[in-house]
Amino acid sequence: MDSTDIAFAGAAEQARMLVNGAITAPALLELYLERIARVDRELRAYRVVFVESARREAVAAQELLDAGERKPLLGVPIAIKDDVDVADEFTCYGSSAYGLAPTADAEVVRRLREAGAVILGKTAVPEMMLWPFTETVAFGATHNPWDLARTPGGSSGGSGAAVAAGLAPMALGSDGAGSIRIPSSWCGLFGIKPQRDRVPIAPHDDAWCGLSVNGPMARTVEDAALFLDATATIPGPSGGFVAAAAREPGRLRIALSAKLPPTMIGRVGRAQQKALDGAESLLRDLGHEVLWRDPDYPAWAVYGHVLPRMWRGAYDDISGLPHRERLEPRTKGIARLGRLISDARIARVRDAEPALSQRVQSIFDDVDVLVTPGTATGPSRIGQYQHRGGVSTLAMVASRVPFQAIFNATGQPAAVVPWGLDDEGVPVSVQLVGRPSDEATLLSLSHQIEAVRPWAHRRPPVS
């Protein structure tokens, strides 16, 4: 296996290689540092790379390996999205408005370190994680390794670009309205938004009024399951998530839908519809019962439930920054909207969540999994939304990604499975949505799809 094959092997396989002595932790790290120095000049996936501290951590990991220590991610490099705290490193949120460096790791980073991971660096995000593209005044634009003229998505765009281009085996993302699933879709990765509260988000608990969660962006289903086993706060399935992924899902009843939630304006593209149709055929061939059925999306869900939480959450985040005058104009515009949303209104919205969830999740009274397009269209071009205000930007980008945010509001797990490439050579995916707390079924079904329609071997032109 040459160095490029190792870089694209994925976290689980690298963990096995480290245990077997096929590679050392310092050598694995240096492989990535060399690739980042060479490739990331074009992509700008990382805001900062922790060269020296990562080297120290890799040496320490190798000493533990040599002593016979076994941890699930011992010696494996992991990239961290730049809205998550790493001790003594700035958390910039894609902005120059940030304050002092945190003195402690976020809980999810602490758990990754406890599992043996080497923290490789922090990945780029749009300012305050507001957009499904990763372009900022402070740090520039992050490019999609499949097409440098296009965005990798957002807000976990740097994480998506890094893993897709072989600049990290796995990355931490966060998802408040699709921010793991969107870049995973457009970068050709497996990404899963776990059940709310499954993976800790402390010290930023209840981010975006409960919409946001942390989760993995990975090359394989096993990699993502390994991340969940290492970080989950709420206990998972019997035997853990890796074991759940490896189990056969059995014969499932699966609903397919291309319906946009009401008030969302857009049209499903030809490549995305073709992927959904292909998923129908494959799932039938795998022995599942497949039907077309739309969820009961309430007409008030997006504007009455999702956007108020998103806007108020963004305002709360921005209010804690010491240099708000440095924010981009459209970020300030979203903050002004959020300021208008009172505590009382948010309380009413949160009180209405059970009613929303009951309606959306009523489809699971009769099916095990819902499948939708991963996105409605492909990614935007770099710079496409420059000089737009906050509301106009949001209105324009929402038509590309209408299938995500509703499931942040209900809190249930959802994953994206790579499907293929569109006519312009950019990845497309399908989204799998599960019952509340049922990541196990999503992982098992995704692993079954992966076995007959593998994707991890695909490498983008810029890698």
Side-chain angles (χ1 to χ4, degrees):
M1 185 179 290
D2 65 20
S3 62
T4 303
D5 290 336
I6 294 171
F8 282 91
E13 181 60 26
Q14 288 176 359
R16 287 187 283 268
M17 293 172 66
L18 287 160
V19 168
N20 295 334
I23 193 170
T24 66
L28 180 59
L29 174 65
E30 292 302 324
L31 185 157
Y32 280 113
L33 293 178
E34 184 278 328
R35 290 183 60 81
I36 292 167
R38 175 166 45 87
V39 177
D40 205 38
R41 288 175 290 185
E42 292 184 278
L43 297 181
R44 304 181 79 161
Y46 284 90
R47 181 187 66 78
V48 61
V49 180
F50 304 147
V51 176
E52 296 308 319
S53 63
R55 282 174 171 157
R56 291 193 296 271
E57 292 172 21
V59 169
Q62 189 59 46
E63 290 174 352
L64 291 175
L65 285 163
D66 291 342
E69 182 74 41
R70 296 295 178 260
K71 297 181 178 182
L73 291 169
L74 188 53
V76 177
I78 303 293
I80 305 297
K81 183 178 178 179
D82 198 19
D83 67 337
V84 176
D85 291 345
V86 174
D88 302 319
E89 302 288 349
F90 292 112
T91 304
C92 295
Y93 310 106
S95 178
S96 57
Y98 61 89
L100 299 175
T103 58
D105 289 332
E107 177 62 16
V108 67
V109 175
R110 188 194 70 78
R111 287 172 180 253
L112 287 169
R113 290 193 196 276
E114 193 173 71
V118 173
I119 304 304
L120 182 52
K122 302 198 80 175
T123 56
V125 298
E127 190 168 67
M128 304 311 298
M129 289 65 65
L130 286 170
W131 317 114
F133 56 88
T134 302
E135 304 167 36
T136 67
V137 172
F139 303 110
T142 300
H143 299 257
N144 192 316
W146 291 92
D147 182 348
L148 290 176
R150 297 185 181 275
T151 182
S155 62
S156 307
S159 288
V163 178
L167 307 185
M170 184 163 63
L172 170 65
S174 65
D175 191 316
S179 291
I180 286 172
R181 290 161 288 160
I182 295 164
S184 293
S185 292
W186 289 337
C187 291
L189 305 175
F190 179 77
I192 183 167
K193 177 190 84 69
Q195 174 69 32
R196 184 186 302 155
D197 298 325
R198 177 77 71 189
V199 176
I201 60 172
H204 304 294
D205 289 322
D206 205 41
W208 279 18
C209 303
L211 294 180
S212 189
V213 302
N214 287 330
M217 302 171 71
R219 300 202 60 79
T220 71
V221 176
E222 183 187 15
D223 292 350
L226 185 62
F227 175 100
L228 294 176
D229 278 335
T231 61
T233 300
I234 301 173
S238 176
F241 289 103
V242 170
R247 284 195 286 268
E248 286 294 317
R251 189 172 191 263
L252 301 175
R253 188 170 166 86
I254 299 173
L256 282 79
S257 173
K259 177 184 177 181
L260 276 63
T263 71
M264 298 295 285
I265 299 172
R267 180 180 62 84
V268 176
R270 183 175 62 183
Q272 289 72 26
Q273 185 64 54
K274 183 178 178 181
L276 192 60
D277 294 340
E280 177 186 15
S281 298
L282 178 64
L283 292 169
R284 289 189 195 280
D285 290 345
L286 290 171
H288 302 294
E289 183 181 355
V290 182
L291 60 152
W292 288 84
R293 181 174 297 176
D294 296 328
D296 182 13
Y297 297 126
W300 47 265
V302 175
Y303 282 93
H305 197 98
V306 174
L307 289 178
R309 293 166 76 171
M310 176 183 173
W311 290 344
R312 175 57 191 268
Y315 170 72
D316 291 342
D317 290 346
I318 289 165
S319 297
L321 297 176
H323 302 292
R324 294 184 291 278
E325 72 281 359
R326 300 177 185 172
L327 291 167
E328 298 171 20
R330 65 180 161 203
T331 305
K332 293 178 181 178
I334 295 297
R336 285 192 291 270
L337 288 172
R339 187 175 58 199
L340 299 174
I341 300 170
S342 66
D343 290 346
R345 183 176 178 189
I346 288 298
R348 291 194 297 271
V349 169
R350 300 295 292 270
D351 287 344
E353 185 179 310
L356 171 69
S357 297
Q358 183 177 23
R359 284 188 60 174
V360 174
Q361 294 168 0
S362 63
I363 193 170
F364 294 97
D365 294 342
D366 191 44
V367 304
D368 301 297
V369 176
L370 169 67
V371 182
T372 77
T375 60
T377 68
S380 57
R381 292 190 174 275
I382 299 293
Q384 186 166 337
Y385 303 111
Q386 283 184 348
H387 311 302
R388 297 278 182 179
V391 174
S392 64
T393 299
L394 188 61
M396 294 177 75
V397 299
S399 65
R400 295 181 180 273
V401 290
F403 299 106
Q404 284 77 28
I406 192 74
F407 302 113
N408 292 85
T410 61
Q412 66 202 91
V416 289
V417 173
W419 198 259
L421 305 177
D422 65 17
D423 292 341
E424 297 181 313
V426 176
V428 296
S429 72
V430 294
Q431 176 178 235
L432 311 183
V433 184
R435 291 189 175 97
S437 301
D438 192 16
E439 294 98 326
T441 297
L442 297 185
L443 292 167
S444 178
L445 179 58
S446 298
H447 188 263
Q448 185 185 47
I449 295 170
E450 182 182 31
V452 297
R453 192 184 173 90
W455 58 74
H457 63 284
R458 300 181 191 138
R459 298 176 188 176
V462 181
S463 62

